[in-house]
Amino acid sequence: GCEEGIDRGEAEDFIRLYHAENPSAGSMKPRLREVAREISQTGTYTHTPGELAFGARVAWRNSNKCIGRLYWKSLRVRDRRHVDTADGVADECVEHLRVATNKGKIRPTVTVFAPDRPGEHAPVIWNDQLIRYAGYTRPDGSVVGDPANAEVTEAAVRLGWRGRGTRFDVLPLVVEAKGTPALRELPPEVVLEVPLRHPSFRWFADLGLKWHAVPVISNMCLEIGGVRYPCAPFNGWYMGTEIGARNLADADRYDQLAVVAERLGLDMSHDRTLWRDQALVELNVAVLHSFEEDGVAVTDHHTEARRFMLHLEKEERSGRVCPADWSWIVPPLSGAATPVFHRYYDDVQLTPAFTRRDGNEG
Ligand code: HEM
Ligand SMILES: N=C(Nc1cccc(CNC[C@@H]2CCCN2)c1)c1cccs1
């Protein structure tokens, strides 16, 4: 929390790390003294633009659960620490989507809003991603749309929002600043979507499935040198399995495996016919085919696994530990058919880091 102020030790460790990896960043001693003075006077300290950008990139580099870290140095950092109103945050989130989407040539980007300060809470976004599909809970408990977003859908409805009631209604942003939540509809031109079709089965398009192009995580906290940035939405591009093996496949999400298996004409009488597995592959083929045909950046889990192996080697050559969590790094489809499956990792928690704001795992 922001009550107890900044941990000086974390501040000093970060300044030392910054100067060790950025020799051209000027002398360290005067900066260490300045930071110590600011902390004793105000209970916190202000990162320079260079420290903020480096901190955000290293927070990505330290993300144990991320398979996509090879390009950590190329993260684009939008410094919006002066923005601390709900309207300002909403405006900058719309702009984030525009610049990150880049008509499908997605650019990994993070926007950093105001930090927690002693005595005042920074703005937070209630949606766990900037683009989410509504989940409407019906009286019988079933959900139309994405069940993962049923709670935030109810919050938006309580705040006066009304959706069209389809399975893919894009939710408004819910931004809370100074204790008051505000709604902001996303302009359609910043929400790029991909309708899903299959290269060999013409009936697939008739399932009416689609997904949005850009994942922007908006429920994590960026921690750098003891300073907490509770609102720092970041995006990369999707790995196809996230959409095809989880979002559209999980029973408590869009639950499409039986639908696809039926249309494939598979024998669904027993698990051991592996009808689920065959449906999973075709669903993932459709995701990669549709994104690629529309020119929207996406990677397959084989390519991403190979890149991560390269990243591990590069980190070891740089003399650094590369922290990783096997249970998240190994893709949810064909795990042992990728190289990341066949080794162990050191799941150490390093800082700077992106941490869970809600505090729970999984
Ligand atoms: C550029 C392409 C990228 C790809 C393909 C990628 C891929 C992934 C995947 C597949 C996951 C697991 C997600 C899940 O299973 O729900 C993940 C997790 C994560 N990624 Fe990446 N990533 C990319 C870029 C980034 C960037 C730019 C950042 C931050 C600056 C980032 C930070 C994280 C974090 C913090 C997690 C863990 C989230 C959690 O704990 O819930 N990734 N990534
Ligand atoms: N490709 C991405 N996927 C991703 C990354 C981090 C977190 C998430 C969402 N994970 C939460 C879900 C729900 C529980 C398990 N997975 C997706 C990226 C999102 C932002 C940058 S890369």
Side-chain angles (χ1 to χ4, degrees), residues 56 59-60 63 65-69 71 75 108-110 217 220 234-239 241-242 246 299 304 328 354 356 361-362:
W60 179 12
S63 299
K65 300 182 174 86
C66 182
I67 192 173
R69 288 177 270 173
Y71 307 118
L75 179 68
T109 307
V110 61
I217 302 303
M220 296 190 84
F234 61 86
N235 77 278
W237 48 76
Y238 267 117
M239 183 158 82
T241 50
E242 299 179 76
R246 300 303 310 276
T299 86
E304 211 54 35
W328 278 66
F354 285 100
R356 294 298 189 72
E361 264 301 87

Side-chain angles (χ1 to χ4, degrees), residues 9 76 139 213 262 284:
R76 304 160 82 91
E262 201 90 61
N284 280 275

